Amino acid sequence: MTQSTTASSRLIRSLFVIVFSLFLITGFVLVFAQIIGLIMTNPTLVTWASSTLNAPAVVLASVSGIIAFIYTYTDKSAASADEEE
């Protein structure tokens, strides 16, 4: 494996971890705000959380999925492990 392939693989993996972490945080805040809105019987909070955080959560999930797909083509160690089986 060349040095540039290893560096790009690390970069893509780091980018995936960052984007996926942002997705998880956004999703957690979305669900937590809706739960608080349900407990407080505040429909405005429930709809605010959904209308404000739903689109960013979906975009972050999509981007992290695309990055994960690209990572499978740059990570040669995973490919060599599949060939050994």
Side-chain angles (χ1 to χ4, degrees):
M1 186 181 309
T2 65
Q3 188 70 14
S4 64
T5 305
T6 305
S8 65
S9 180
R10 277 192 232 144
L11 175 68
I12 292 172
R13 181 180 173 155
S14 298
L15 187 61
F16 169 75
V17 168
I18 291 167
V19 173
F20 190 71
S21 297
L22 288 173
F23 159 64
L24 287 178
I25 291 167
T26 306
F28 176 77
V29 171
L30 169 66
V31 171
F32 187 72
Q34 289 181 332
I35 290 171
I36 295 299
L38 286 172
I39 291 171
M40 295 174 51
T41 62
N42 184 354
T44 307
L45 180 60
V46 175
T47 56
W48 172 85
S50 179
S51 64
T52 304
L53 298 174
N54 191 32
V58 170
V59 169
L60 288 169
S62 301
V63 170
S64 67
I66 292 168
I67 294 171
F69 179 75
I70 293 169
Y71 179 68
T72 61
Y73 285 98
T74 61
D75 185 27
K76 300 299 179 193
S77 64
S80 63
D82 287 340
E83 290 174 3
E84 289 177 4
E85 290 179 358

